[in-house]
Amino acid sequence: MSHLITPRELQGEGESGRPLRLLDVRWRLDLPEGRPDYVAGHLPGAVYVDLERELSKRGYPEEGRYPLPDVAALEASVRRWGVREGDLVVAYDDNDAVAAARAWWLLRRRGVRIRVLDGGLRAWVAQGYPLERGDFRPAPGDARLTAADPGAVTTDEAARAPVEGYLIDVRAPEHYRGLAPGLDPVSGHIPGALNIPVIAHITRDGAFRSPDEIRAVLDAFGVDPTRPITLYCGAGISSAHSALAYAEAGIETRIYPGSWSQWARSPRRPVAVGRTPADSLQAW
Protein backbone atom coordinates (compact mmCIF):
# COMPACT_ATOMS: atom_id res chain seq x y z
CA MET A 1 0.00 0.00 0.00
CA SER A 2 1.16 3.51 -0.77
CA HIS A 3 2.38 5.70 2.08
CA LEU A 4 0.64 8.60 0.34
CA ILE A 5 -3.02 9.38 -0.27
CA THR A 6 -4.46 11.79 -2.83
CA PRO A 7 -7.18 14.33 -2.00
CA ARG A 8 -9.68 12.33 -4.05
CA GLU A 9 -8.80 9.11 -2.22
CA LEU A 10 -9.05 10.89 1.12
CA GLN A 11 -12.45 12.30 0.24
CA GLY A 12 -13.54 8.76 -0.60
CA GLU A 13 -12.29 7.48 2.75
CA GLY A 14 -14.26 10.20 4.51
CA GLU A 15 -17.43 9.27 2.66
CA SER A 16 -16.96 5.55 3.28
CA GLY A 17 -17.73 5.70 6.97
CA ARG A 18 -14.54 3.79 7.82
CA PRO A 19 -12.63 5.02 10.91
CA LEU A 20 -10.47 7.98 9.92
CA ARG A 21 -8.42 10.51 11.87
CA LEU A 22 -6.86 13.58 10.24
CA LEU A 23 -3.77 15.27 11.70
CA ASP A 24 -2.97 18.89 10.79
CA VAL A 25 0.79 19.17 11.37
CA ARG A 26 1.38 22.75 10.30
CA TRP A 27 4.90 23.85 11.20
CA ARG A 28 7.90 25.45 9.54
CA LEU A 29 11.18 26.91 10.78
CA ASP A 30 10.06 30.48 10.10
CA LEU A 31 6.55 29.89 11.47
CA PRO A 32 6.72 27.16 14.14
CA GLU A 33 3.29 27.89 15.66
CA GLY A 34 0.75 26.58 13.17
CA ARG A 35 -2.37 26.70 15.35
CA PRO A 36 -3.60 30.15 14.21
CA ASP A 37 -3.61 29.02 10.57
CA TYR A 38 -5.23 25.73 11.60
CA VAL A 39 -8.04 27.58 13.37
CA ALA A 40 -8.52 29.81 10.33
CA GLY A 41 -9.12 26.81 8.08
CA HIS A 42 -8.40 23.08 8.14
CA LEU A 43 -9.68 19.83 6.65
CA PRO A 44 -13.03 18.88 8.23
CA GLY A 45 -12.46 16.88 11.40
CA ALA A 46 -8.70 17.44 11.51
CA VAL A 47 -7.02 17.86 14.89
CA TYR A 48 -4.01 20.14 15.32
CA VAL A 49 -0.67 18.48 16.12
CA ASP A 50 2.05 20.57 17.76
CA LEU A 51 5.31 19.36 16.21
CA GLU A 52 7.62 20.95 18.75
CA ARG A 53 5.69 19.74 21.80
CA GLU A 54 4.15 16.44 20.64
CA LEU A 55 6.43 15.14 17.89
CA SER A 56 9.55 16.28 19.77
CA LYS A 57 10.57 16.72 23.37
CA ARG A 58 12.53 19.34 25.24
CA GLY A 59 16.13 18.35 25.65
CA TYR A 60 19.66 19.59 26.11
CA PRO A 61 21.32 21.47 23.20
CA GLU A 62 23.77 18.63 22.65
CA GLU A 63 20.80 16.33 21.81
CA GLY A 64 19.90 18.47 18.79
CA ARG A 65 17.04 20.92 18.40
CA TYR A 66 14.17 18.41 18.17
CA PRO A 67 14.90 15.24 20.19
CA LEU A 68 12.50 12.36 19.72
CA PRO A 69 9.63 12.04 22.21
CA ASP A 70 9.55 8.90 24.32
CA VAL A 71 6.93 6.31 23.45
CA ALA A 72 4.72 6.97 26.50
CA ALA A 73 4.49 10.70 25.76
CA LEU A 74 3.85 10.05 22.07
CA GLU A 75 1.11 7.55 22.91
CA ALA A 76 -0.56 10.14 25.16
CA SER A 77 -0.52 12.60 22.27
CA VAL A 78 -1.90 10.00 19.86
CA ARG A 79 -4.81 9.37 22.21
CA ARG A 80 -5.39 13.11 22.63
CA TRP A 81 -5.73 13.30 18.85
CA GLY A 82 -8.58 10.79 19.14
CA VAL A 83 -6.80 7.92 17.40
CA ARG A 84 -8.39 4.57 18.11
CA GLU A 85 -7.11 1.07 17.39
CA GLY A 86 -7.51 0.30 13.69
CA ASP A 87 -8.06 3.89 12.55
CA LEU A 88 -6.56 5.09 9.32
CA VAL A 89 -4.56 8.19 10.20
CA VAL A 90 -3.76 10.80 7.55
CA ALA A 91 -1.27 13.59 8.25
CA TYR A 92 -0.97 16.77 6.22
CA ASP A 93 0.55 20.24 6.37
CA ASP A 94 0.93 23.35 4.19
CA ASN A 95 4.68 22.99 3.53
CA ASP A 96 5.18 20.15 1.02
CA ALA A 97 4.63 17.44 3.68
CA VAL A 98 7.89 18.19 5.52
CA ALA A 99 6.20 18.33 8.95
CA ALA A 100 3.57 15.68 8.15
CA ALA A 101 6.38 13.28 7.28
CA ARG A 102 7.73 13.61 10.82
CA ALA A 103 4.41 12.24 12.16
CA TRP A 104 4.47 9.47 9.56
CA TRP A 105 8.02 8.48 10.48
CA LEU A 106 7.40 8.43 14.23
CA LEU A 107 4.19 6.40 14.02
CA ARG A 108 4.45 4.00 11.07
CA ARG A 109 6.53 1.33 12.86
CA ARG A 110 4.69 1.71 16.14
CA GLY A 111 1.37 0.19 15.19
CA VAL A 112 -0.39 3.17 13.60
CA ARG A 113 -1.76 2.86 10.08
CA ILE A 114 -0.70 6.25 8.76
CA ARG A 115 -0.49 7.92 5.35
CA VAL A 116 0.42 11.43 4.21
CA LEU A 117 -1.80 13.64 2.06
CA ASP A 118 0.11 14.10 -1.19
CA GLY A 119 0.27 17.80 -2.00
CA GLY A 120 -1.08 18.70 1.42
CA LEU A 121 -3.55 21.49 2.14
CA ARG A 122 -2.80 23.18 -1.18
CA ALA A 123 -3.83 20.12 -3.20
CA TRP A 124 -6.99 19.64 -1.13
CA VAL A 125 -8.11 23.23 -1.74
CA ALA A 126 -7.09 23.15 -5.42
CA GLN A 127 -9.49 20.25 -5.99
CA GLY A 128 -12.36 22.21 -4.49
CA TYR A 129 -12.78 20.27 -1.25
CA PRO A 130 -14.06 22.17 1.81
CA LEU A 131 -12.31 23.52 4.88
CA GLU A 132 -13.75 24.24 8.30
CA ARG A 133 -12.83 26.83 10.89
CA GLY A 134 -12.29 26.59 14.63
CA ASP A 135 -10.60 24.11 16.92
CA PHE A 136 -11.71 20.49 16.75
CA ARG A 137 -11.20 18.41 19.91
CA PRO A 138 -12.18 14.75 19.48
CA ALA A 139 -13.00 12.29 22.22
CA PRO A 140 -9.82 10.60 23.53
CA GLY A 141 -8.67 7.56 21.60
CA ASP A 142 -7.42 4.19 22.80
CA ALA A 143 -4.55 3.47 20.39
CA ARG A 144 -1.52 1.69 21.82
CA LEU A 145 1.98 2.24 20.48
CA THR A 146 4.62 -0.44 20.40
CA ALA A 147 8.10 0.44 21.60
CA ALA A 148 9.55 -0.13 18.13
CA ASP A 149 12.54 1.77 16.80
CA PRO A 150 11.21 4.27 14.22
CA GLY A 151 14.45 3.85 12.28
CA ALA A 152 16.88 6.12 14.14
CA VAL A 153 20.68 6.08 14.36
CA THR A 154 23.09 7.57 16.88
CA THR A 155 25.86 10.08 16.21
CA ASP A 156 28.45 7.31 16.14
CA GLU A 157 26.35 5.30 13.70
CA ALA A 158 25.95 8.37 11.49
CA ALA A 159 29.72 8.78 11.43
CA ARG A 160 30.14 5.18 10.22
CA ALA A 161 27.29 5.37 7.70
CA PRO A 162 29.40 6.46 4.67
CA VAL A 163 31.63 3.41 5.18
CA GLU A 164 28.84 0.90 5.76
CA GLY A 165 26.59 2.31 3.05
CA TYR A 166 25.52 5.87 2.31
CA LEU A 167 24.95 9.00 4.37
CA ILE A 168 22.69 11.53 2.63
CA ASP A 169 22.45 15.17 3.68
CA VAL A 170 19.03 16.42 2.54
CA ARG A 171 19.65 20.13 3.19
CA ALA A 172 19.99 22.86 0.57
CA PRO A 173 23.45 22.97 -1.09
CA GLU A 174 24.47 26.24 0.60
CA HIS A 175 24.08 24.64 4.03
CA TYR A 176 25.83 21.44 2.97
CA ARG A 177 28.77 23.40 1.57
CA GLY A 178 29.13 25.53 4.71
CA LEU A 179 28.25 28.77 2.91
CA ALA A 180 25.15 29.68 4.92
CA PRO A 181 25.53 30.49 8.62
CA GLY A 182 22.71 29.03 10.66
CA LEU A 183 21.75 28.47 14.28
CA ASP A 184 24.59 26.03 14.89
CA PRO A 185 28.16 26.78 16.05
CA VAL A 186 29.72 25.60 12.78
CA SER A 187 28.61 25.17 9.16
CA GLY A 188 29.33 22.36 6.72
CA HIS A 189 28.46 18.68 6.50
CA ILE A 190 29.35 15.31 7.98
CA PRO A 191 32.41 13.90 6.17
CA GLY A 192 31.42 11.35 3.56
CA ALA A 193 27.83 12.58 3.18
CA LEU A 194 26.25 13.04 -0.24
CA ASN A 195 24.00 16.04 -0.81
CA ILE A 196 20.57 15.12 -2.21
CA PRO A 197 18.22 17.93 -1.13
CA VAL A 198 14.60 17.33 -0.17
CA ILE A 199 13.45 19.40 -3.14
CA ALA A 200 14.79 16.70 -5.49
CA HIS A 201 11.69 14.65 -4.61
CA ILE A 202 9.04 17.40 -4.86
CA THR A 203 7.14 18.57 -7.93
CA ARG A 204 6.36 22.22 -8.60
CA ASP A 205 2.91 21.86 -7.01
CA GLY A 206 4.30 20.33 -3.81
CA ALA A 207 3.43 16.69 -4.51
CA PHE A 208 5.90 13.82 -4.42
CA ARG A 209 7.64 12.74 -7.60
CA SER A 210 6.92 9.25 -8.90
CA PRO A 211 8.81 6.25 -7.48
CA ASP A 212 10.67 5.88 -10.77
CA GLU A 213 11.82 9.51 -10.64
CA ILE A 214 12.94 9.14 -7.02
CA ARG A 215 14.94 6.02 -7.81
CA ALA A 216 16.46 7.81 -10.83
CA VAL A 217 17.77 10.58 -8.58
CA LEU A 218 19.53 8.06 -6.37
CA ASP A 219 20.95 6.33 -9.43
CA ALA A 220 22.31 9.66 -10.71
CA PHE A 221 24.25 10.01 -7.47
CA GLY A 222 25.58 6.47 -7.71
CA VAL A 223 23.57 5.24 -4.72
CA ASP A 224 22.87 1.50 -4.61
CA PRO A 225 19.48 1.24 -2.81
CA THR A 226 20.26 -2.29 -1.63
CA ARG A 227 22.95 -0.94 0.71
CA PRO A 228 22.14 0.83 4.01
CA ILE A 229 21.09 4.48 3.61
CA THR A 230 21.12 6.98 6.48
CA LEU A 231 19.58 10.44 6.20
CA TYR A 232 20.14 13.67 8.08
CA CYS A 233 19.21 17.32 7.75
CA GLY A 234 19.56 20.47 9.85
CA ALA A 235 17.53 19.45 12.88
CA GLY A 236 15.94 16.07 12.16
CA ILE A 237 12.65 17.21 10.61
CA SER A 238 13.06 17.44 6.84
CA SER A 239 15.01 14.18 6.68
CA ALA A 240 11.70 12.40 7.40
CA HIS A 241 10.39 13.80 4.12
CA SER A 242 13.19 12.11 2.20
CA ALA A 243 12.58 8.92 4.19
CA LEU A 244 8.95 9.04 3.06
CA ALA A 245 9.95 9.65 -0.56
CA TYR A 246 12.33 6.70 -0.53
CA ALA A 247 9.80 4.46 1.22
CA GLU A 248 7.28 5.31 -1.48
CA ALA A 249 9.92 4.13 -3.98
CA GLY A 250 10.33 0.88 -2.04
CA ILE A 251 13.58 1.86 -0.33
CA GLU A 252 13.89 1.72 3.46
CA THR A 253 16.22 4.19 5.16
CA ARG A 254 17.24 5.30 8.64
CA ILE A 255 17.45 8.81 10.09
CA TYR A 256 19.98 10.53 12.32
CA PRO A 257 17.46 12.52 14.43
CA GLY A 258 19.99 14.89 16.00
CA SER A 259 21.22 15.74 12.51
CA TRP A 260 23.53 18.72 11.98
CA SER A 261 22.20 20.49 15.10
CA GLN A 262 23.65 17.65 17.20
CA TRP A 263 26.77 16.91 15.15
CA ALA A 264 27.82 20.57 15.24
CA ARG A 265 27.68 20.49 19.06
CA SER A 266 29.55 17.22 19.45
CA PRO A 267 33.18 17.82 20.54
CA ARG A 268 35.95 16.64 18.22
CA ARG A 269 33.60 15.71 15.38
CA PRO A 270 35.16 16.62 12.01
CA VAL A 271 33.37 18.99 9.64
CA ALA A 272 33.59 18.98 5.85
CA VAL A 273 32.91 22.01 3.65
CA GLY A 274 32.61 22.29 -0.11
CA ARG A 275 30.69 20.62 -2.92
CA THR A 276 31.75 17.00 -2.41
CA PRO A 277 31.55 14.59 0.54
CA ALA A 278 35.05 15.44 1.88
CA ASP A 279 36.28 18.55 0.01
CA SER A 280 37.91 20.14 3.02
CA LEU A 281 38.02 18.76 6.54
CA GLN A 282 38.07 21.02 9.56
CA ALA A 283 38.45 20.27 13.23
CA TRP A 284 36.92 22.50 15.85
Side-chain angles (χ1 to χ4, degrees), residues 178-264:
L179 300 177
L183 300 174
D184 304 307
V186 64
S187 300
H189 60 268
I190 299 174
L194 299 169
N195 185 208
I196 307 179
V198 165
I199 58 171
H201 314 305
I202 306 173
T203 65
R204 186 172 298 179
D205 61 2
F208 282 80
R209 295 193 181 278
S210 71
D212 285 345
E213 290 174 312
I214 292 167
R215 286 189 290 266
V217 170
L218 285 178
D219 185 62
F221 279 85
V223 175
D224 176 358
T226 66
R227 297 185 65 196
I229 298 174
T230 298
L231 311 171
Y232 79 94
C233 55
I237 304 299
S238 59
S239 48
H241 184 284
S242 289
L244 173 54
Y246 295 137
E248 188 66 9
I251 302 165
E252 289 297 322
T253 59
R254 293 175 68 80
I255 289 177
Y256 172 33
S259 286
W260 189 251
S261 64
Q262 183 176 37
W263 185 276

Side-chain angles (χ1 to χ4, degrees), residues 13 24 100 124 168 202 211 227 236 239 281:
E13 285 290 339
D24 186 309
W124 178 266
I168 297 177
I202 306 173
R227 297 185 65 196
S239 48
L281 293 179

